C-alpha cells in the first residue's frame, strides 16, 4: 500500500518536470521571444505547463498522506538533476564542472533521505 504513495511522489516529480520543460519552451520559442509577460502567459506551451504543475501539486498532496514531508520535499530535488540534463540537451544551457558536482551532491542527498523513510 505504501508503494502507491511513492508512485504518486514519482509521478508528481515527473509531471512537474514536463511542466518545467513546457514553461521554458513557452518562454523561449515564439515568433516574439521578447513579447510581454501576458503574451507569454497565453502561449499554448505555457498554459499546458501550468496545468502540468497543477497536476503535480495534486499528486504531491496524495504522496504527503503517507510520506513524511521531511522526506518527500527533498526527494523532489531529484527533478533538479533531471532538469539540468534536459536544459543542457534541449536548450543548450551550460553544464560545467560546478553544476555536475552539485548534481552529484543532490543525488546523494536524495538517495540518503529516501532510504531513511
Amino acid at each position: 500500500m505504501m508503494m502507491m504513495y511513492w508512485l504518486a511522489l514519482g509521478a508528481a516529480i515527473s509531471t512537474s518536470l514536463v511542466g518545467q520543460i513546457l514553461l521554458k519552451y513557452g518562454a523561449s520559442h515564439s515568433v516574439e521571444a521578447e513579447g510581454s509577460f501576458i503574451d507569454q502567459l497565453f502561449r499554448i506551451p505555457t498554459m499546458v505547463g501550468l496545468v502540468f504543475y497543477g497536476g503535480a501539486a495534486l499528486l504531491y498532496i496524495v504522496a504527503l498522506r503517507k510520506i513524511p514531508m521531511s522526506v518527500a520535499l527533498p526527494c523532489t530535488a531529484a527533478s533538479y538533476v533531471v532538469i539540468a540534463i534536459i536544459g543542457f540537451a534541449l536548450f543548450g544551457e551550460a553544464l560545467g564542472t560546478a553544476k555536475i558536482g552539485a548534481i552529484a551532491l543532490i543525488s546523494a542527498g536524495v538517495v540518503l533521505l529516501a532510504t531513511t523513510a
Side-chain angles (χ1 to χ4, degrees):
M1 186 70 164
M2 187 67 174
M3 180 62 78
M4 178 181 81
Y5 298 99
W6 282 101
L7 289 173
L9 181 60
I13 293 167
S14 298
T15 305
S16 175
L17 283 169
V18 172
Q20 195 63 266
I21 292 165
L22 288 167
L23 291 177
K24 175 66 175 177
Y25 188 82
S28 60
H29 289 82
S30 70
V31 177
E32 292 182 16
E34 299 298 319
S36 73
F37 172 72
I38 299 300
D39 292 337
Q40 179 183 342
L41 186 62
F42 287 103
R43 290 185 191 128
I44 298 296
T46 303
M47 291 188 298
V48 175
L50 291 171
V51 169
F52 270 86
Y53 262 143
L58 295 174
L59 289 163
Y60 186 68
I61 290 167
V62 170
L64 287 176
R65 294 180 74 196
K66 295 290 181 182
I67 301 172
M69 186 171 58
S70 61
V71 174
L73 184 61
C75 284
T76 65
S79 67
Y80 301 152
V81 174
V82 177
I83 210 67
I85 295 165
I86 290 171
F88 172 75
L90 295 182
F91 300 106
E93 296 178 359
L95 189 61
T97 307
K99 269 191 189 174
I100 292 170
I103 287 169
L105 289 172
I106 291 169
S107 298
V110 168
V111 169
L112 183 62
L113 274 169
T115 58
T116 64

